[in-house]
Amino acid sequence: PGDPVRNVVHNYSGMWVTSNKYVLFDRLIQSAYSRDAWDGPPGGAQTSASLDVFQDQSAVVARDEGTGRLIPFNVVTARAVTDGVVPVSPTAIVDMRGGTLAALYPSTGKIFATRYDPATAPSLQDLADNAKPIAQIAVPPKAATTAATAYSALAVANDGTIYAADLSGKLATIAATGQGFAKVTYRSIPAPKSIELSTLGSHVIALDAISGTVTVDDGKPLSLGRPDPQARVQQPGADASSVLVATSKAMDAVPLSGGSATTIFGSAS
């Protein structure tokens, strides 16, 4: 019958990381435990930077918050695609997952997004700050005591659905449909004092660290047992029975169906 055919996936073993000290984006090859490529932000030498990187298989997008740019990378050449760079505010909240790259501008409530192929460098034109937004949530009131960057939150689910919410209790859902997005839908959640979003499968989770609660979908807020402004919710992931929340003293698992949080481990102090 001949030899079996095997498909070899190229470039997927490379994990991209950043160095603010050296102002570089580095690719680490996991199988070789070594660094095989690096490149700096386009535009010449910088003495300091605030860098980040998003990766979904071979789709790699770097962020230079200091200069307010998103930078697509070609993983074959391991170089920035300089003609694909777009301006994005340093205060924008950016997330990338499931074929969707999205940005929320908290000061205006505007949401920008694009779909991408995980095998190639994404086109970022739809995320530029002068592009047409696909949805909008509430703008921080002028009298708000909360900083604009903390007034709203964004998360992209594993299936590419975008969720965005604000302190007024407005939650926007934008489903991914092939190469585009469905029309945004809005619903209300209990208005929080602070907000951070995540997802587990089709569940959307809102953490209110100041109140010490977690809200799952349209349910009532679930208590963490104590407020903690330093609390953080886990990154979006696959469906699960509990969501993980890290506080300044412990790692808690909060059942999505309700009930008390369970401490997985805590600090010695």
Side-chain angles (χ1 to χ4, degrees), residues 165-166 168-172 185-192 215 217-219:
D166 56 57
S168 73
K170 185 177 187 179
L171 173 67
T185 61
Y186 296 99
R187 67 180 190 265
S188 296
I189 59 173
T215 301
D217 299 324
D218 298 322

PDB file of all heavy atoms in Angstrom, residues 165-166 168-172 185-192 215 217-219:
ATOM      1  N   ALA A 165     -18.050  44.685  28.531  1.00  0.00           N
ATOM      2  CA  ALA A 165     -19.010  45.155  29.538  1.00  0.00           C
ATOM      3  C   ALA A 165     -18.451  46.382  30.238  1.00  0.00           C
ATOM      4  O   ALA A 165     -17.243  46.658  30.186  1.00  0.00           O
ATOM      5  CB  ALA A 165     -19.312  44.055  30.545  1.00  0.00           C
ATOM      6  N   ASP A 166     -19.342  47.115  30.921  1.00  0.00           N
ATOM      7  CA  ASP A 166     -18.920  48.330  31.609  1.00  0.00           C
ATOM      8  C   ASP A 166     -19.593  48.420  32.978  1.00  0.00           C
ATOM      9  O   ASP A 166     -20.420  47.572  33.345  1.00  0.00           O
ATOM     10  CB  ASP A 166     -19.235  49.567  30.763  1.00  0.00           C
ATOM     11  CG  ASP A 166     -20.703  49.654  30.380  1.00  0.00           C
ATOM     12  OD1 ASP A 166     -21.549  49.667  31.302  1.00  0.00           O
ATOM     13  OD2 ASP A 166     -21.019  49.684  29.178  1.00  0.00           O
ATOM     14  N   SER A 168     -21.805  50.313  34.044  1.00  0.00           N
ATOM     15  CA  SER A 168     -23.247  50.585  34.056  1.00  0.00           C
ATOM     16  C   SER A 168     -24.054  49.293  34.029  1.00  0.00           C
ATOM     17  O   SER A 168     -25.272  49.309  34.206  1.00  0.00           O
ATOM     18  CB  SER A 168     -23.637  51.460  32.854  1.00  0.00           C
ATOM     19  OG  SER A 168     -23.608  50.708  31.643  1.00  0.00           O
ATOM     20  N   GLY A 169     -23.369  48.152  33.782  1.00  0.00           N
ATOM     21  CA  GLY A 169     -24.051  46.870  33.704  1.00  0.00           C
ATOM     22  C   GLY A 169     -24.458  46.484  32.297  1.00  0.00           C
ATOM     23  O   GLY A 169     -25.285  45.587  32.109  1.00  0.00           O
ATOM     24  N   LYS A 170     -23.890  47.106  31.303  1.00  0.00           N
ATOM     25  CA  LYS A 170     -24.184  46.800  29.908  1.00  0.00           C
ATOM     26  C   LYS A 170     -23.181  45.784  29.381  1.00  0.00           C
ATOM     27  O   LYS A 170     -21.981  45.983  29.468  1.00  0.00           O
ATOM     28  CB  LYS A 170     -24.136  48.072  29.065  1.00  0.00           C
ATOM     29  CG  LYS A 170     -24.553  47.895  27.611  1.00  0.00           C
ATOM     30  CD  LYS A 170     -24.530  49.240  26.892  1.00  0.00           C
ATOM     31  CE  LYS A 170     -25.091  49.150  25.487  1.00  0.00           C
ATOM     32  NZ  LYS A 170     -25.084  50.477  24.813  1.00  0.00           N
ATOM     33  N   LEU A 171     -23.668  44.672  28.841  1.00  0.00           N
ATOM     34  CA  LEU A 171     -22.819  43.616  28.293  1.00  0.00           C
ATOM     35  C   LEU A 171     -23.107  43.453  26.808  1.00  0.00           C
ATOM     36  O   LEU A 171     -24.243  43.216  26.408  1.00  0.00           O
ATOM     37  CB  LEU A 171     -23.062  42.293  29.011  1.00  0.00           C
ATOM     38  CG  LEU A 171     -22.349  41.063  28.431  1.00  0.00           C
ATOM     39  CD1 LEU A 171     -20.841  41.173  28.603  1.00  0.00           C
ATOM     40  CD2 LEU A 171     -22.863  39.778  29.095  1.00  0.00           C
ATOM     41  N   ALA A 172     -22.078  43.597  25.990  1.00  0.00           N
ATOM     42  CA  ALA A 172     -22.198  43.423  24.547  1.00  0.00           C
ATOM     43  C   ALA A 172     -21.640  42.061  24.153  1.00  0.00           C
ATOM     44  O   ALA A 172     -20.596  41.638  24.652  1.00  0.00           O
ATOM     45  CB  ALA A 172     -21.435  44.523  23.811  1.00  0.00           C
ATOM     46  N   THR A 185     -25.349  42.099  20.116  1.00  0.00           N
ATOM     47  CA  THR A 185     -26.519  42.053  20.985  1.00  0.00           C
ATOM     48  C   THR A 185     -26.110  42.578  22.359  1.00  0.00           C
ATOM     49  O   THR A 185     -24.954  42.449  22.771  1.00  0.00           O
ATOM     50  CB  THR A 185     -27.074  40.625  21.131  1.00  0.00           C
ATOM     51  OG1 THR A 185     -26.066  39.769  21.713  1.00  0.00           O
ATOM     52  CG2 THR A 185     -27.490  40.069  19.781  1.00  0.00           C
ATOM     53  N   TYR A 186     -27.072  43.189  23.048  1.00  0.00           N
ATOM     54  CA  TYR A 186     -26.796  43.778  24.353  1.00  0.00           C
ATOM     55  C   TYR A 186     -27.735  43.175  25.394  1.00  0.00           C
ATOM     56  O   TYR A 186     -28.886  42.865  25.098  1.00  0.00           O
ATOM     57  CB  TYR A 186     -26.989  45.297  24.324  1.00  0.00           C
ATOM     58  CG  TYR A 186     -26.032  46.028  23.409  1.00  0.00           C
ATOM     59  CD1 TYR A 186     -26.448  46.424  22.133  1.00  0.00           C
ATOM     60  CD2 TYR A 186     -24.737  46.331  23.810  1.00  0.00           C
ATOM     61  CE1 TYR A 186     -25.578  47.110  21.287  1.00  0.00           C
ATOM     62  CE2 TYR A 186     -23.869  47.016  22.974  1.00  0.00           C
ATOM     63  CZ  TYR A 186     -24.291  47.397  21.718  1.00  0.00           C
ATOM     64  OH  TYR A 186     -23.437  48.066  20.874  1.00  0.00           O
ATOM     65  N   ARG A 187     -27.225  43.030  26.588  1.00  0.00           N
ATOM     66  CA  ARG A 187     -28.075  42.638  27.704  1.00  0.00           C
ATOM     67  C   ARG A 187     -27.489  43.239  28.982  1.00  0.00           C
ATOM     68  O   ARG A 187     -26.367  43.749  28.998  1.00  0.00           O
ATOM     69  CB  ARG A 187     -28.198  41.123  27.827  1.00  0.00           C
ATOM     70  CG  ARG A 187     -26.937  40.357  28.212  1.00  0.00           C
ATOM     71  CD  ARG A 187     -27.271  38.871  28.291  1.00  0.00           C
ATOM     72  NE  ARG A 187     -26.219  38.060  28.871  1.00  0.00           N
ATOM     73  CZ  ARG A 187     -25.303  37.411  28.184  1.00  0.00           C
ATOM     74  NH1 ARG A 187     -25.291  37.490  26.858  1.00  0.00           N
ATOM     75  NH2 ARG A 187     -24.385  36.667  28.794  1.00  0.00           N
ATOM     76  N   SER A 188     -28.262  43.153  30.055  1.00  0.00           N
ATOM     77  CA  SER A 188     -27.841  43.757  31.316  1.00  0.00           C
ATOM     78  C   SER A 188     -27.309  42.709  32.279  1.00  0.00           C
ATOM     79  O   SER A 188     -27.790  41.574  32.315  1.00  0.00           O
ATOM     80  CB  SER A 188     -29.009  44.498  31.974  1.00  0.00           C
ATOM     81  OG  SER A 188     -29.428  45.587  31.176  1.00  0.00           O
ATOM     82  N   ILE A 189     -26.296  43.105  33.029  1.00  0.00           N
ATOM     83  CA  ILE A 189     -25.793  42.300  34.133  1.00  0.00           C
ATOM     84  C   ILE A 189     -25.825  43.196  35.371  1.00  0.00           C
ATOM     85  O   ILE A 189     -25.949  44.420  35.248  1.00  0.00           O
ATOM     86  CB  ILE A 189     -24.358  41.793  33.869  1.00  0.00           C
ATOM     87  CG1 ILE A 189     -23.390  42.980  33.657  1.00  0.00           C
ATOM     88  CG2 ILE A 189     -24.316  40.856  32.678  1.00  0.00           C
ATOM     89  CD1 ILE A 189     -21.929  42.568  33.555  1.00  0.00           C
ATOM     90  N   PRO A 190     -25.749  42.617  36.581  1.00  0.00           N
ATOM     91  CA  PRO A 190     -25.718  43.470  37.777  1.00  0.00           C
ATOM     92  C   PRO A 190     -24.577  44.479  37.683  1.00  0.00           C
ATOM     93  O   PRO A 190     -23.425  44.105  37.423  1.00  0.00           O
ATOM     94  CB  PRO A 190     -25.493  42.457  38.911  1.00  0.00           C
ATOM     95  CG  PRO A 190     -26.064  41.177  38.392  1.00  0.00           C
ATOM     96  CD  PRO A 190     -25.763  41.170  36.923  1.00  0.00           C
ATOM     97  N   ALA A 191     -24.886  45.747  37.859  1.00  0.00           N
ATOM     98  CA  ALA A 191     -23.873  46.798  37.727  1.00  0.00           C
ATOM     99  C   ALA A 191     -22.789  46.611  38.784  1.00  0.00           C
ATOM    100  O   ALA A 191     -23.071  46.663  39.987  1.00  0.00           O
ATOM    101  CB  ALA A 191     -24.523  48.162  37.860  1.00  0.00           C
ATOM    102  N   PRO A 192     -21.553  46.388  38.367  1.00  0.00           N
ATOM    103  CA  PRO A 192     -20.476  46.147  39.337  1.00  0.00           C
ATOM    104  C   PRO A 192     -19.785  47.440  39.759  1.00  0.00           C
ATOM    105  O   PRO A 192     -19.991  48.502  39.166  1.00  0.00           O
ATOM    106  CB  PRO A 192     -19.514  45.267  38.530  1.00  0.00           C
ATOM    107  CG  PRO A 192     -19.667  45.779  37.128  1.00  0.00           C
ATOM    108  CD  PRO A 192     -21.112  46.209  36.984  1.00  0.00           C
ATOM    109  N   THR A 215     -19.919  37.099  38.644  1.00  0.00           N
ATOM    110  CA  THR A 215     -21.214  36.884  38.007  1.00  0.00           C
ATOM    111  C   THR A 215     -21.026  36.009  36.784  1.00  0.00           C
ATOM    112  O   THR A 215     -20.152  36.279  35.955  1.00  0.00           O
ATOM    113  CB  THR A 215     -21.859  38.222  37.590  1.00  0.00           C
ATOM    114  OG1 THR A 215     -22.032  39.038  38.753  1.00  0.00           O
ATOM    115  CG2 THR A 215     -23.207  37.993  36.938  1.00  0.00           C
ATOM    116  N   ASP A 217     -22.782  34.537  33.429  1.00  0.00           N
ATOM    117  CA  ASP A 217     -23.887  34.771  32.494  1.00  0.00           C
ATOM    118  C   ASP A 217     -24.881  35.775  33.085  1.00  0.00           C
ATOM    119  O   ASP A 217     -24.483  36.856  33.479  1.00  0.00           O
ATOM    120  CB  ASP A 217     -24.547  33.442  32.128  1.00  0.00           C
ATOM    121  CG  ASP A 217     -23.569  32.486  31.442  1.00  0.00           C
ATOM    122  OD1 ASP A 217     -22.715  32.966  30.678  1.00  0.00           O
ATOM    123  OD2 ASP A 217     -23.669  31.267  31.694  1.00  0.00           O
ATOM    124  N   ASP A 218     -26.141  35.401  33.191  1.00  0.00           N
ATOM    125  CA  ASP A 218     -27.160  36.312  33.706  1.00  0.00           C
ATOM    126  C   ASP A 218     -27.505  36.023  35.168  1.00  0.00           C
ATOM    127  O   ASP A 218     -28.532  36.491  35.673  1.00  0.00           O
ATOM    128  CB  ASP A 218     -28.441  36.199  32.869  1.00  0.00           C
ATOM    129  CG  ASP A 218     -28.211  36.589  31.421  1.00  0.00           C
ATOM    130  OD1 ASP A 218     -27.448  37.542  31.178  1.00  0.00           O
ATOM    131  OD2 ASP A 218     -28.769  35.931  30.528  1.00  0.00           O
ATOM    132  N   GLY A 219     -26.668  35.250  35.838  1.00  0.00           N
ATOM    133  CA  GLY A 219     -26.965  34.857  37.209  1.00  0.00           C
ATOM    134  C   GLY A 219     -26.706  35.952  38.226  1.00  0.00           C
ATOM    135  O   GLY A 219     -26.241  37.050  37.912  1.00  0.00           O
TER     136      GLY A 219
END
